[in-house]
Amino acid sequence: MSLRSEPTELKMQNGIVPSGRPSRKKYWNVGADTLYFTINDANYWYEIHGKGAPVVLFHGFTGSSGTWSHLIEAGKDQLQFITIDLPGHGKTKMSNPRTMEACCKDISHLLDTLGYETVHVVGYSMGGRTALSFAMAFPERIRSLTLESASPGLEVEETREKRAVNDEELAKRIERNGIREFVHFWENIPLFESQKDLPAAIQQKIRKERLEQSESGLAMSLRYMGTGSQPSWWSMLHTFEKPVQLLVGERDEKFVSINKKMQSFFFSCKLIEVEDAGHAIHVEKPDVFDKLVIDYIKLQEQLHKEK
């Protein structure tokens, strides 16, 4: 996979900072840094929080860097978190769409610019598909991979084609009816039924993050990074030799089934079903989720140092 592209630069909100790389032998020791990363026509918003081993976090569809606030607060004294607003989401802006493969190349360039040779990667749902795609494209950059309610895509071409049609219909619905109508529809699909048991304040926070997205951005994401358009990784899972942790909510029966099948293909994989949780474990059981992620990464760091 070629990594060549136009020159890149880092941009702060109010200006441009030099793009010199920090030492590859050390992690950045910062409290919170928020920057833009520019590559070709795209401006990726990313944030760096905490200190320690680097952990890249990929949010789900209709999410943003804000998705991870609870995890960051819990682990910022032990780990360094790099959040990225994925194409079509949050503050990231671009003139041309990004496919899953193109997005992963851009992220690899960002890590190069920041000076990270290897990282731990965590992804939720769509971000889990992105995390897995990144890991399959750049396995040499991965220390460990944690996937929350994720999948490797669709195995059968005919099924992918049907899903692409459905994704296109949903994209047109967003463009036609606007973000508010879509969010009302989206928060009421069966996948998120368990979230209706959450306190009203948490439901409002989730709704606010969804409403902050743009119609054009979400439509682009569905068309170019949706399950119907991304590569299927099922036939390649057995080739990935880095440690993997799969997290699923026991109430999310569809993804429990998918992840049990995934586990059987990975070389080194741990699967955990979180009790009384649905699709979004990090929202429904945040303390449990935080501990699972932080403890797993710390363990992998320890094992890595002992080699």
Side-chain angles (χ1 to χ4, degrees):
M1 181 176 287
S2 173
L3 295 181
R4 295 184 179 181
S5 68
E6 296 301 317
T8 64
E9 63 183 16
L10 301 178
K11 292 183 178 180
M12 297 187 70
Q13 282 182 280
N14 298 314
I16 299 177
V17 298
S19 59
R21 300 180 183 181
S23 170
R24 290 182 180 270
K25 297 180 181 179
K26 298 180 180 178
Y27 304 128
W28 278 13
N29 184 355
V30 295
D33 200 4
T34 54
L35 297 166
Y36 275 107
F37 170 70
T38 299
I39 180 166
N40 298 323
D41 67 305
N43 291 301
Y44 283 87
W45 176 264
Y46 73 95
E47 301 176 8
I48 302 175
H49 299 269
K51 58 184 179 180
V55 183
V56 179
L57 304 175
F58 294 132
H59 61 79
F61 184 65
T62 73
S64 67
S65 291
T67 293
W68 304 113
S69 58
H70 198 281
L71 174 62
I72 290 170
E73 186 61 30
K76 65 183 180 182
D77 293 332
Q78 306 169 72
L79 301 169
Q80 183 166 92
F81 297 104
I82 303 98
T83 67
I84 304 167
D85 284 1
L86 294 173
H89 292 78
K91 298 177 183 177
T92 288
K93 306 296 179 185
M94 55 191 60
S95 303
N96 297 304
R98 286 298 193 277
T99 62
M100 185 69 80
E101 300 95 319
C103 172
C104 290
K105 286 184 180 181
D106 288 348
I107 291 167
S108 184
H109 278 294
L110 170 58
L111 296 183
D112 283 340
T113 304
L114 294 175
Y116 298 114
E117 290 184 351
T118 60
V119 294
H120 301 276
V121 178
V122 179
Y124 160 65
S125 198
M126 179 197 77
R129 291 188 288 106
T130 306
L132 178 57
S133 296
F134 182 78
M136 299 304 294
F138 301 97
E140 72 281 0
R141 305 205 77 141
I142 306 299
R143 291 194 188 183
S144 75
L145 180 64
T146 296
L147 303 178
E148 175 195 4
S149 306
S151 84
L154 297 170
E155 201 167 4
V156 180
E157 183 175 355
E158 182 181 358
T159 306
R160 289 199 301 274
E161 291 173 353
K162 290 180 179 178
R163 179 59 181 266
V165 171
N166 291 337
D167 286 345
E168 175 63 25
E169 291 176 354
L170 186 56
K172 289 179 178 178
R173 175 175 181 163
I174 296 171
E175 293 170 330
R176 182 175 63 250
N177 298 337
I179 194 71
R180 288 192 172 275
E181 190 276 341
F182 169 71
V183 168
H184 176 73
F185 159 76
W186 192 245
E187 65 190 4
N188 284 289
I189 64 175
L191 190 66
F192 302 122
E193 182 66 27
S194 57
Q195 293 185 15
K196 293 183 179 180
D197 296 333
L198 295 171
I202 296 179
Q203 293 189 54
Q204 284 301 314
K205 181 181 179 181
I206 298 169
R207 180 176 175 81
K208 181 176 183 294
E209 185 177 36
R210 288 169 173 162
L211 287 170
E212 288 173 347
Q213 310 306 320
S214 70
E215 290 88 353
S216 59
L218 294 186
M220 179 186 73
S221 178
L222 284 167
R223 288 177 173 130
Y224 292 90
M225 289 182 62
T227 309
S229 59
Q230 75 151 79
S232 170
W233 298 113
W234 282 107
S235 64
M236 298 292 291
L237 295 182
H238 71 282
T239 68
F240 187 72
E241 298 183 350
K242 302 299 176 65
V244 178
Q245 177 176 227
L246 302 177
L247 303 178
V248 287
E250 67 171 1
R251 297 173 64 179
D252 189 7
E253 295 180 2
K254 174 183 175 181
F255 280 84
V256 168
S257 176
I258 290 172
N259 279 256
K260 284 182 177 179
K261 183 178 178 181
M262 288 170 64
Q263 184 189 27
S264 68
F265 287 100
F266 278 120
F267 178 80
S268 174
C269 183
K270 178 181 183 180
L271 170 62
I272 297 176
E273 294 182 42
V274 178
E275 294 182 0
D276 197 30
H279 194 66
I281 307 164
H282 67 281
V283 171
E284 299 174 45
K285 298 292 179 181
D287 293 335
V288 174
F289 177 82
D290 295 349
K291 181 173 175 53
L292 288 171
V293 171
I294 293 168
D295 286 355
Y296 183 75
I297 291 173
K298 287 172 63 179
L299 173 61
Q300 297 308 318
E301 274 294 295
Q302 180 181 343
L303 294 174
H304 179 77
K305 291 174 181 177
E306 291 175 353
K307 287 182 179 180

